[in-house]
C-alpha cells in the first residue's frame, strides 16, 4: 500500500476541478491518473481528462454517464468528492 497518499487531498483536487472546470486545462499537465491512489479517483480523473479532450463539459452528469458505460460509476466516491 502506498503510504504517501491523502484521500482528503485527492478529494479536494477532484472537487476543485469538478466545480471549476475552466481550470482543468491549467492543471492537466501537472496532474495525471497516477497522482491518485484509489481506483475510483483515478477513474474520475481519467474521465475528466477525456471530457476535456473532447471539449465536453466536465460535470457530474457527464462523468456519471461515462463511468456508467464502463460499469465503474460509484455513487459513494462521487458523493465524497
Amino acid at each position: 500500500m502506498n503510504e504517501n497518499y491523502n484521500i482528503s487531498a485527492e478529494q479536494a483536487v477532484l472537487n476543485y476541478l469538478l466545480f471549476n472546470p475552466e481550470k482543468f486545462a491549467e492543471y492537466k499537465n501537472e496532474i495525471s491518473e497516477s497522482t491518485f491512489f484509489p481506483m475510483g479517483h483515478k477513474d474520475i480523473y481519467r474521465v475528466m481528462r477525456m471530457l476535456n479532450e473532447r471539449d465536453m463539459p466536465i460535470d457530474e452528469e457527464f462523468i456519471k454517464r461515462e463511468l456508467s458505460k464502463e460499469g465503474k460509476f460509484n455513487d459513494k466516491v462521487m458523493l465524497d468528492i
Side-chain angles (χ1 to χ4, degrees), residues 1-3 6-8 13 21 35 40 42-44 48 50-51 55-58 61-62 76 80:
M1 175 182 276
N2 182 345
E3 296 175 10
N6 181 319
I7 295 292
S8 296
V13 169
T35 301
K42 289 178 184 285
D43 289 336
I44 289 171
M48 285 179 167
M50 184 228 19
L51 291 170
D55 290 324
M56 297 173 71
I58 296 174
E61 287 304 313
F62 279 84
K76 181 177 179 347
D80 288 344

Side-chain angles (χ1 to χ4, degrees), residues 61-73:
E61 287 304 313
F62 279 84
I63 292 168
K64 180 178 181 177
R65 184 179 72 198
E66 292 300 320
L67 287 175
S68 292
K69 286 180 193 176
E70 301 172 9
K72 294 184 176 184
F73 181 73

